[in-house]
């Protein structure tokens, strides 16, 4: 087989192979530093994307708005209209901000009744950050400092600042900290698990080194790709953890098989060649399956998903390449030294690969009564899937995603409660159909009419609105009811798009409008995902089926493998819904439920899990097929038992790596970590130990083509030297 030929060449040319890998990693890192240009901006789908494109075409940008909620710290204080301290603090704040020179368009509740909350308890000061792009950050920091100074002068008043830049700053900081935390936790956690699996420091370090260099090279290449396709911060975190998981898993498959062949009496190089022909082949097929499955994300037409597909393909492809080239060369170079640095109580026991008594006994029991055990296992997974029937796809706002202990998040929650929709307003972009300035007396009259209509729909569309000129365009911010991304906000958005705007600014000749904003972006994104979901799912299932069919030449095996994967993914969906949407274990996992599941997560999980979980199926099925000459049931028992060590180790590593997501701050990452870890855990236990043996035992020889010969590895001639 090709993997064996590549491995044999790599062992004969160890220096060239290792130097080539180092060169590849260095070139990737250097290209990322030297060729890194301006990152490509992501474009939203649908109407929000049209609004974004219209704004990007302007020579200036939409002013960033900030709000400061003014309220008394003590409950039961007089209302804003009669509270002297609140009014003095407001006047001080407006004067201080205006004199700072860092803001423009300051709006005060002292001059506009619509800036006093409906319950009369608080007021809202609004302003835009002054300056061009290079001045925005310094001016924002100046304005924030001035707000803090005013707050210090009025200790009985709470000033809570939130807005465009406040929230984006805290989100960006949270992502950076999550990236650092994932790097800090994933490497030592993986090393500890590998030490337990191999019992030797050198053997544990080899997979970690290969996975780490694969991830590093991927990041280098992605810095160049980012100039053409958006690669966001979330993709970076996902790529890191997926790269560590698959890189270590592929090395683990190879190393354990090599140890098994060494225990049978083969030399280092002969055992490595056998491992390349068997486990190396599995690694190539598994990697190809993952790459093909994640490439289905391209069919969404969403550039963030395209970037994620590219990054995953890069890191998985490099992990596969390293497993069939660098790993054989390293093992040939190290020889018996790979078992150096043995850990007491583990090293002696882990030097050779052993058959699992537990999983062998489990497979033996299951194959005696496959219908019973298969039915019970399938029923359990179906039961776990049931909560997913009530899954609500709903993206969280920053205030729902991040902990309220962050000042900007707490401010956003307080402001949203007092002035619904102000924190996450709809952004209406008005442009001229034929280009040129859009502002005109007719448009200004239509905006006045729009303001009146919004007042009439209070509770659905809210005040205060904000109007700003952006070069030749005009931008109107309209607060929507609801939490920003729930059914109420969606209904308000629909009313704005389909009723209020067509009846006001839509009647002005030559004016085009498009609505964006957090609610609109999330709604349009979810609509695109749902629209393209059948195409993506169909492509992924077809790709997986074709690959399994080519690998095993068996339609029943391919269908059974896909069916079992669908069961485990469905169970993961159910657990995800039960925990995060219904709010179970919220305090333990450190999140606040908001009544939904992130809209893009089910599709992402489906695509990635179908690819990753095929690792176990392909590995186990390959072991079973190797022993077909022993009889159908005996092959299932032996194949399940001998693959147990590898699959268990790989599953522990994947579950450990994906559990790192749970420790991150954003609820989206926590959902992903729980969903992925649960699916892998189900695959490695219930599916591997019960359902797969049960289905194969029920099918018997019908699972395989009768003219297909067993592919048990033949003993290779001993190699006298690496260059023989």
């Amino acid at each position: 087989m090709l993997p064996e030929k590549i491995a044999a060449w790599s062992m004969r040319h160890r220096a060239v192979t290792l130097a080539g890998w180092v060169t590849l990693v260095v070139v990737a890192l250097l290209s990322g530093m030297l060729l890194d240009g301006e990152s490509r901006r992501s474009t939203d789908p649908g109407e929000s994307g049209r609004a974004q494109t219209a704004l990007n075409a302007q020579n200036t940008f939409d002013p960033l708005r900030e709000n400061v909620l003014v309220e008394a710290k003590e409950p039961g204080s007089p209302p804003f209209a009669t509270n002297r301290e609140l009014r003095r603090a407001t006047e001080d704040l407006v004067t201080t901000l205006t004199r700072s020179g860092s803001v423009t368009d300051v709006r005060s509740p002292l001059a506009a009744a619509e800036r006093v909350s409906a319950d009369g308890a608080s007021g809202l000061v609004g302003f835009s950050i002054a300056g061009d792009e290079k001045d925005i950050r310094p001016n924002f920091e100046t304005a924030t400092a001035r707000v803090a100074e005013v707050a210090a002068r009025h200790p009985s008043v709470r000033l809570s600042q939130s807005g465009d830049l406040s929230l984006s700053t805290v989100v960006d900081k949270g992502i950076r900290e999550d990236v650092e935390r994932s790097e800090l936790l994933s490497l030592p956690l993986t090393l500890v698990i590998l030490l337990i699996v191999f019992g030797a420091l050198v053997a544990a370090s080899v997979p970690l080194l290969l996975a780490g260099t694969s991830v590093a090279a991927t990041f280098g290449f992605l810095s160049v790709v980012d100039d053409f396709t958006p690669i966001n911060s979330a993709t970076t975190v996902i790529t890191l953890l997926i790269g560590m998981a698959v890189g270590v898993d592929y090395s683990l498959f190879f190393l354990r098989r090599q140890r098994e062949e060494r225990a049978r009496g083969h030399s280092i190089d002969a055992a490595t060649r056998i491992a390349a022909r068997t486990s190396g082949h599995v690694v190539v097929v598994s990697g190809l399956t993952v790459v093909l499955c994640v490439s289905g994300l391209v069919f969404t037409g969403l550039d963030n998903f395209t970037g994620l597909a590219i990054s995953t393909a890069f890191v998985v492809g490099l992990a596969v390449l390293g497993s069939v080239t660098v790993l054989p060369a390293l093992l040939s170079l190290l020889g018996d030294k790979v078992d150096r640095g043995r850990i007491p109580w583990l090293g002696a026991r882990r030097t050779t690969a052993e058959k699992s008594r537990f999983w062998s006994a489990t497979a033996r029991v299951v194959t005696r009564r496959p219908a019973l055990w298969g039915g019970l296992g399938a029923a359990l997974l179906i039961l776990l899937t049931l909560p997913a029937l009530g899954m609500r796809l709903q993206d969280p706002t920053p205030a729902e995603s991040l902990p309220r202990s962050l000042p900007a998040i707490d401010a956003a929650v307080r402001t949203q409660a007092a002035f619904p929709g102000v924190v996450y307003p709809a952004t209406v972009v008005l442009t001229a159909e034929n280009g040129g300035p859009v502002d005109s007396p007719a448009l200004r009259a239509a905006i006045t009419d729009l303001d009146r209509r919004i007042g009439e729909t209070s509770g659905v569309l809210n005040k205060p609105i904000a109007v700003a000129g952006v070069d030749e365009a005009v931008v109107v911010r309209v607060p929507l009811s609801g939490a920003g991304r729930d059914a109420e906000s969606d209904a308000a958005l629909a009313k704005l798009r389909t009723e209020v705007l067509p009846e006001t600014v839509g009647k002005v000749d030559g004016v085009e409008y498009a609505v964006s904003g957090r609610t609109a972006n999330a709604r349009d994104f979810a609509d695109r995902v749902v629209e393209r979901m059948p195409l993506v799912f169909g492509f992924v299932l077809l790709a997986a089926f074709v690959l399994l069919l080519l690998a095993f030449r068996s339609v029943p095996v391919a269908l059974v493998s896909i069916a079992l994967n669908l069961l485990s993914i469905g169970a993961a969906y159910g657990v995800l819904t039960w925990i995060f949407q219904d709010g179970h274990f919220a305090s333990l996992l450190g999140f606040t439920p908001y009544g939904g599941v992130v809209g893009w997560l089910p599709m992402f999980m489906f695509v990635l899990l179908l690819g990753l979980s095929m690792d176990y199926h392909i590995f186990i099925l390959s072991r079973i097929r190797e022993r077909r000459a022993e009889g159908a049931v005996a092959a299932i028992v032996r194949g399940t038992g001998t693959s147990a060590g590898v699959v268990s180790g790989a599953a522990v590593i994947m579950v450990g790596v994906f559990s790192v997501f749970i420790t991150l701050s954003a609820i989206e990452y926590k959902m992903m970590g729980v969903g992925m870890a649960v699916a892998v855990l189900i695959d490695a236990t219930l599916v591997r130990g019960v359902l797969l043996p049960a289905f194969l035992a029920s099918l018997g020889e019908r699972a395989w083509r009768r003219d297909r010969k067993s592919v048990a590895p033949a003993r290779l001639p001993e190699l006298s030297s690496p260059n023989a």
Side-chain angles (χ1 to χ4, degrees):
M1 291 186 178
L2 184 59
E4 181 186 359
K5 294 179 180 179
I6 295 174
W9 187 94
S10 299
M11 288 188 290
R12 290 195 303 270
H13 305 86
R14 296 182 306 207
V16 174
T17 301
L18 297 177
W21 182 257
V22 172
T23 301
L24 174 65
V25 175
V26 171
V27 168
L29 294 175
L30 288 177
S31 66
M33 291 185 289
L34 299 177
L35 302 178
D36 187 17
E38 184 178 354
S39 297
R40 187 178 179 87
R41 298 178 61 178
S42 175
T43 301
D44 296 311
E47 184 176 336
S48 56
R50 295 198 304 274
Q52 181 184 3
T53 301
L55 279 179
N56 291 341
Q58 307 304 314
N59 293 321
T60 59
F61 55 89
D62 183 17
L64 299 175
R65 295 290 299 180
E66 291 287 311
N67 296 296
V68 179
L69 182 69
V70 184
E71 59 182 345
K73 288 183 178 179
E74 294 296 327
S77 298
F80 185 89
T82 59
N83 192 315
R84 293 182 179 179
E85 185 57 27
L86 288 183
R87 297 180 74 83
R88 279 198 295 266
T90 301
E91 186 175 0
D92 187 4
L93 178 63
V94 171
T95 302
T96 301
L97 286 172
T98 302
R99 289 176 178 174
S100 72
S102 60
V103 306
T104 61
D105 192 23
V106 181
R107 307 289 180 90
S108 170
L110 299 176
E114 62 190 23
R115 289 190 167 270
V116 177
S117 61
D119 61 4
S122 55
L124 188 70
V125 175
F127 57 90
S128 297
I129 306 298
D132 55 23
E133 190 171 355
K134 71 178 187 308
D135 298 324
I136 288 296
R137 177 60 60 178
N139 285 343
F140 167 72
E141 293 173 353
T142 299
T144 302
R146 297 297 174 268
V147 172
E149 291 172 4
V150 174
R153 291 196 291 267
H154 302 272
S156 64
V157 177
R158 178 186 289 112
L159 301 182
S160 304
Q161 181 180 340
S162 62
D164 296 336
L165 202 48
S166 295
L167 289 176
S168 65
T169 298
V170 74
V171 169
D172 291 343
K173 182 182 178 182
I175 291 174
R176 286 196 305 271
E177 291 176 349
D178 282 345
V179 172
E180 293 171 359
R181 190 181 298 118
S182 63
E183 292 173 345
L184 183 66
L185 294 176
S186 61
L187 293 177
L189 175 63
T190 304
L191 180 59
V192 169
I193 297 172
L194 286 171
L195 285 173
I196 296 173
V197 170
F198 287 110
L201 183 59
V202 175
S205 300
V206 169
L208 198 61
L209 177 65
L210 190 60
T213 52
S214 298
V215 171
T218 298
F219 284 166
F221 287 131
L222 290 182
S223 296
V224 180
V225 174
D226 188 40
D227 299 342
F228 309 97
T229 299
I231 304 291
N232 59 26
S233 301
T235 297
T236 302
V237 177
I238 295 169
T239 301
L240 168 66
L241 297 183
I242 289 176
M244 293 303 301
V246 299
V248 170
D249 269 11
Y250 293 162
S251 299
L252 180 60
F253 289 170
F254 201 106
L255 274 165
R256 287 298 294 257
R257 184 54 183 258
Q258 192 233 28
R259 285 188 168 198
E260 184 178 330
E261 298 304 327
R262 285 282 287 144
R264 292 176 178 173
H266 291 100
S267 68
I268 294 289
D269 286 356
T272 304
R273 287 181 59 184
I274 295 175
R277 189 173 72 237
T278 53
S279 294
H281 176 70
V282 170
V283 165
V284 171
V285 175
S286 298
L288 185 59
T289 303
V290 174
V291 171
L292 275 178
C293 285
V294 297
S295 65
L297 293 173
V298 175
F299 290 102
T300 61
L302 299 168
D303 46 18
N304 281 331
F305 271 166
T306 299
L308 182 57
I310 292 172
S311 64
T312 304
F314 258 113
V315 78
V316 172
L318 287 173
V320 171
L321 178 63
S323 298
V324 296
T325 57
V326 181
L327 188 55
L330 271 178
L331 295 178
S332 177
L333 178 65
L334 291 172
D336 291 329
K337 295 177 183 177
V338 75
D339 290 318
R340 286 190 174 180
R342 294 184 182 179
I343 309 300
W345 304 293
L346 288 176
R349 184 169 62 87
R350 297 287 181 179
T351 301
T352 59
E354 299 175 354
K355 181 177 69 173
S356 168
R357 294 181 180 179
F358 173 79
W359 289 112
S360 296
T362 301
R364 194 174 294 112
V365 170
V366 169
T367 52
R368 287 173 185 164
R369 304 185 69 180
L372 172 64
W373 292 108
L376 289 175
L380 176 59
L381 291 184
I382 292 172
L383 183 64
L384 290 175
T385 303
L386 292 179
L389 298 178
M391 180 187 289
R392 291 188 295 275
L393 299 181
Q394 180 179 319
D395 289 350
T397 63
E400 294 168 333
S401 174
L402 297 173
R404 192 169 175 178
S405 57
L406 299 171
I409 298 301
D410 180 68
V413 172
R414 292 179 179 277
T415 304
Q416 182 71 10
F419 295 88
V422 165
V423 179
Y424 313 111
T427 302
V428 184
V429 180
L430 306 171
T431 55
E433 288 182 355
N434 300 320
V438 71
D439 193 17
S440 67
L443 180 62
R444 288 194 291 272
I447 293 175
T448 301
D449 188 31
L450 172 66
D451 186 52
R452 179 187 61 78
R453 288 290 304 273
I454 289 173
E456 293 174 355
T457 62
S458 180
V460 180
L461 304 176
N462 302 308
K463 292 187 176 184
I465 70 170
V467 183
V470 182
D471 194 18
E472 296 183 334
V474 171
V475 175
V476 183
R477 297 189 179 211
V478 180
L480 304 175
S481 63
R485 186 59 188 96
D486 54 10
E488 186 178 353
S489 296
D490 282 346
L493 173 67
K495 186 175 185 64
L496 178 65
R497 280 177 165 177
T498 60
E499 295 181 26
V500 176
L501 287 176
E503 295 172 2
T504 54
V505 296
K507 291 184 176 180
V508 180
D509 292 337
V511 173
E512 292 182 336
Y513 64 86
V515 181
S516 65
R518 191 172 299 277
T519 303
N521 294 348
R523 178 71 270 155
D524 293 342
F525 188 92
D527 288 345
R528 174 66 64 84
V529 168
V530 172
E531 174 191 343
R532 300 293 177 86
M533 194 175 291
L535 179 61
V536 174
F537 282 17
F539 172 81
V540 171
L541 291 173
L542 180 61
F545 175 77
V546 171
L547 279 175
L548 287 168
L549 190 61
L550 292 174
F552 296 103
R553 301 292 194 273
S554 170
V555 172
V557 166
L559 291 175
V560 165
S561 296
I562 290 175
L564 295 181
N565 273 279
L566 291 177
L567 281 174
S568 64
I569 292 172
Y573 283 174
V575 172
L576 189 69
T577 304
W578 185 76
I579 291 177
F580 288 96
Q581 182 172 299
D582 299 340
H584 297 92
F585 303 120
S587 58
L588 178 65
L589 297 177
F591 72 91
T592 301
Y594 65 91
V597 172
V598 179
W600 54 265
L601 187 57
M603 176 184 287
F604 172 78
M605 282 179 56
F606 179 88
V607 168
L608 192 60
L609 284 173
L610 196 66
L612 291 178
S613 60
M614 285 297 175
D615 287 353
Y616 306 144
H617 288 270
I618 293 172
F619 190 82
I620 297 169
L621 288 168
S622 297
R623 286 300 185 95
I624 293 172
R625 188 176 62 176
E626 289 178 14
R627 290 165 172 79
R628 282 180 54 214
E630 302 173 13
V633 173
I636 294 170
V637 174
R638 287 284 304 277
T640 303
T642 54
S643 63
V646 180
V647 173
S648 298
V652 169
I653 290 168
M654 274 207 178
V655 170
V657 170
F658 289 138
S659 296
V660 171
F661 280 109
I662 302 174
T663 69
L664 305 185
S665 58
I667 193 173
E668 298 94 325
Y669 291 149
K670 293 180 183 292
M671 287 187 188
M672 185 188 306
V674 169
M676 301 286 282
V678 166
V680 170
L681 192 61
I682 290 172
D683 261 328
T685 54
L686 185 58
V687 172
R688 174 265 300 262
V690 178
L691 290 176
L692 186 59
F695 276 91
L696 291 178
S698 298
L699 291 171
E701 278 299 316
R702 290 174 297 174
W704 312 95
R705 289 180 54 174
R706 295 184 180 276
D707 60 341
R708 181 77 173 171
K709 295 182 180 180
S710 175
V711 292
R715 291 183 178 269
L716 297 177
E718 300 295 322
L719 298 179
S720 58
S721 72
N723 296 319

